[in-house]
Structures are given as structure tokens and as C-alpha cells.
Amino acid sequence: GVLRARRVAGVAQTAPGRVYQVWLMKQGATKPTPTDALFTPNRGGHATVNVPGDLREVDQVLVTQEPAGGSPQPTSDPVVTAVI
């Protein structure tokens, strides 16, 4: 798959035992597909994350706060939604 580095800014620190997880919403899908892209921001709220996979059929990239290790489905509302 294709990896694209994306920078995020102004993101709150995660709670202990939590990370941010990247999700891909494909065209026509009703729920997002999980990725293994997990990150925590630095103290300034900045992070760089590689978005895995082929983004040609993806409408949105979402970020949610999840348990450490990630989740197979979102357990929280998106804190970042990027329309591509």
C-alpha cells in the first residue's frame, strides 16, 4: 500500500492508555475501515502519522481516540475528519 505522511496540529493529549487511530472511509461505505496507524501527539499537540493504503477510493480520513493498541471499530467520535 501507499503511505502518506500527514501532520496534525492542535490535538489534545490522549488519556492514559489511549492513542489516536486513523480510519479510512471509502466511497459509498457506511462505516470506516481501521488502519494500524496509531499515534500520540507531543506536548504541543503536534504529530506526524503515516496514512497506510491506497487512497484512490477513500473519501475521508478520520482520527478517533481509542484504547492503546487500536480498535477494530471506533469507540469515540472523530476528533479529525479530513475530506480528500
Side-chain angles (χ1 to χ4, degrees):
V2 177
L3 287 176
R4 290 182 172 76
R6 296 290 184 239
R7 291 188 183 134
V8 292
V11 179
Q13 292 292 309
T14 55
R18 309 272 296 170
V19 296
Y20 286 112
Q21 183 172 357
V22 176
W23 305 81
L24 303 178
M25 181 68 85
K26 295 186 177 180
Q27 297 170 1
T30 57
K31 53 186 181 173
T33 302
T35 72
D36 61 359
L38 308 173
F39 67 95
T40 55
N42 65 19
R43 288 183 183 165
H46 296 84
T48 300
V49 61
N50 288 323
V51 179
D54 185 347
L55 300 181
R56 285 181 285 192
E57 295 181 14
V58 173
D59 285 336
Q60 296 178 14
V61 176
L62 310 171
V63 176
T64 61
Q65 195 173 138
E66 301 298 333
S71 179
Q73 61 187 20
T75 63
S76 67
D77 292 332
V79 295
V80 174
T81 301
V83 177
I84 57 172

mmCIF file of all heavy atoms in Angstrom, residues 1 4 6 14 19 30 36 45 47 52 58 64 73 83:
data_model
loop_
_atom_site.group_PDB
_atom_site.id
_atom_site.type_symbol
_atom_site.label_atom_id
_atom_site.label_comp_id
_atom_site.label_asym_id
_atom_site.label_seq_id
_atom_site.Cartn_x
_atom_site.Cartn_y
_atom_site.Cartn_z
ATOM 1 N N GLY A 1 0.817 -1.192 0.000
ATOM 2 C CA GLY A 1 0.000 0.000 0.000
ATOM 3 C C GLY A 1 0.850 1.241 0.000
ATOM 4 O O GLY A 1 2.055 1.196 0.187
ATOM 5 N N ARG A 4 1.254 7.789 3.166
ATOM 6 C CA ARG A 4 1.345 9.234 3.031
ATOM 7 C C ARG A 4 1.486 9.823 4.420
ATOM 8 O O ARG A 4 0.646 9.569 5.281
ATOM 9 C CB ARG A 4 0.082 9.771 2.359
ATOM 10 C CG ARG A 4 -0.021 9.380 0.899
ATOM 11 C CD ARG A 4 -1.276 9.980 0.293
ATOM 12 N NE ARG A 4 -1.318 9.794 -1.125
ATOM 13 C CZ ARG A 4 -1.608 8.669 -1.754
ATOM 14 N NH1 ARG A 4 -1.855 7.592 -1.050
ATOM 15 N NH2 ARG A 4 -1.642 8.596 -3.060
ATOM 16 N N ARG A 6 1.109 12.552 7.126
ATOM 17 C CA ARG A 6 0.224 13.679 7.382
ATOM 18 C C ARG A 6 0.589 14.260 8.742
ATOM 19 O O ARG A 6 0.853 13.536 9.687
ATOM 20 C CB ARG A 6 -1.247 13.239 7.396
ATOM 21 C CG ARG A 6 -1.733 12.716 6.067
ATOM 22 C CD ARG A 6 -1.837 13.853 5.060
ATOM 23 N NE ARG A 6 -2.393 13.359 3.812
ATOM 24 C CZ ARG A 6 -1.773 13.442 2.650
ATOM 25 N NH1 ARG A 6 -0.586 13.962 2.572
ATOM 26 N NH2 ARG A 6 -2.341 13.006 1.562
ATOM 27 N N THR A 14 -3.753 12.494 24.664
ATOM 28 C CA THR A 14 -4.636 11.358 24.912
ATOM 29 C C THR A 14 -4.656 11.034 26.398
ATOM 30 O O THR A 14 -3.709 11.326 27.129
ATOM 31 C CB THR A 14 -4.156 10.118 24.127
ATOM 32 O OG1 THR A 14 -2.791 9.855 24.464
ATOM 33 C CG2 THR A 14 -4.289 10.313 22.642
ATOM 34 N N VAL A 19 -4.717 6.065 22.581
ATOM 35 C CA VAL A 19 -3.966 6.571 21.439
ATOM 36 C C VAL A 19 -4.961 7.107 20.414
ATOM 37 O O VAL A 19 -6.160 6.837 20.502
ATOM 38 C CB VAL A 19 -3.109 5.469 20.769
ATOM 39 C CG1 VAL A 19 -2.041 4.945 21.707
ATOM 40 C CG2 VAL A 19 -3.973 4.335 20.243
ATOM 41 N N THR A 30 -20.558 2.733 4.773
ATOM 42 C CA THR A 30 -21.352 3.265 5.874
ATOM 43 C C THR A 30 -20.554 3.347 7.167
ATOM 44 O O THR A 30 -20.981 3.983 8.113
ATOM 45 C CB THR A 30 -22.606 2.400 6.111
ATOM 46 O OG1 THR A 30 -22.205 1.056 6.365
ATOM 47 C CG2 THR A 30 -23.530 2.451 4.910
ATOM 48 N N ASP A 36 -3.706 0.435 10.996
ATOM 49 C CA ASP A 36 -2.780 0.218 12.105
ATOM 50 C C ASP A 36 -1.981 1.470 12.419
ATOM 51 O O ASP A 36 -1.009 1.427 13.153
ATOM 52 C CB ASP A 36 -1.857 -0.964 11.830
ATOM 53 C CG ASP A 36 -1.003 -0.769 10.594
ATOM 54 O OD1 ASP A 36 -1.128 0.280 9.906
ATOM 55 O OD2 ASP A 36 -0.194 -1.663 10.294
ATOM 56 N N GLY A 45 0.751 19.372 20.984
ATOM 57 C CA GLY A 45 -0.425 18.958 20.222
ATOM 58 C C GLY A 45 -0.141 18.636 18.775
ATOM 59 O O GLY A 45 -1.058 18.589 17.956
ATOM 60 N N ALA A 47 1.676 16.048 15.747
ATOM 61 C CA ALA A 47 2.099 14.674 15.457
ATOM 62 C C ALA A 47 2.215 14.505 13.953
ATOM 63 O O ALA A 47 1.581 15.231 13.183
ATOM 64 C CB ALA A 47 1.104 13.667 16.014
ATOM 65 N N PRO A 52 -1.730 4.618 5.885
ATOM 66 C CA PRO A 52 -1.445 3.480 5.021
ATOM 67 C C PRO A 52 -2.560 3.225 4.008
ATOM 68 O O PRO A 52 -3.696 3.648 4.203
ATOM 69 C CB PRO A 52 -1.352 2.316 6.010
ATOM 70 C CG PRO A 52 -2.293 2.700 7.092
ATOM 71 C CD PRO A 52 -2.202 4.206 7.197
ATOM 72 N N VAL A 58 -10.888 6.427 -1.295
ATOM 73 C CA VAL A 58 -11.190 6.947 0.047
ATOM 74 C C VAL A 58 -11.725 8.373 -0.066
ATOM 75 O O VAL A 58 -11.148 9.208 -0.762
ATOM 76 C CB VAL A 58 -9.926 6.897 0.937
ATOM 77 C CG1 VAL A 58 -10.173 7.578 2.271
ATOM 78 C CG2 VAL A 58 -9.494 5.455 1.138
ATOM 79 N N THR A 64 -9.776 8.992 15.574
ATOM 80 C CA THR A 64 -10.516 8.857 16.828
ATOM 81 C C THR A 64 -9.549 8.503 17.948
ATOM 82 O O THR A 64 -8.451 8.026 17.702
ATOM 83 C CB THR A 64 -11.597 7.758 16.746
ATOM 84 O OG1 THR A 64 -10.962 6.505 16.488
ATOM 85 C CG2 THR A 64 -12.627 8.054 15.686
ATOM 86 N N GLN A 73 -13.253 -1.199 15.610
ATOM 87 C CA GLN A 73 -14.292 -0.248 15.240
ATOM 88 C C GLN A 73 -14.187 0.962 16.156
ATOM 89 O O GLN A 73 -13.716 0.838 17.288
ATOM 90 C CB GLN A 73 -15.677 -0.871 15.328
ATOM 91 C CG GLN A 73 -16.072 -1.349 16.697
ATOM 92 C CD GLN A 73 -17.381 -2.115 16.666
ATOM 93 O OE1 GLN A 73 -17.806 -2.602 15.629
ATOM 94 N NE2 GLN A 73 -18.020 -2.227 17.800
ATOM 95 N N VAL A 83 -11.474 15.518 4.490
ATOM 96 C CA VAL A 83 -12.105 15.131 3.234
ATOM 97 C C VAL A 83 -11.040 15.200 2.154
ATOM 98 O O VAL A 83 -10.334 16.194 2.024
ATOM 99 C CB VAL A 83 -13.282 16.062 2.912
ATOM 100 C CG1 VAL A 83 -13.901 15.694 1.569
ATOM 101 C CG2 VAL A 83 -14.316 16.020 4.015
#
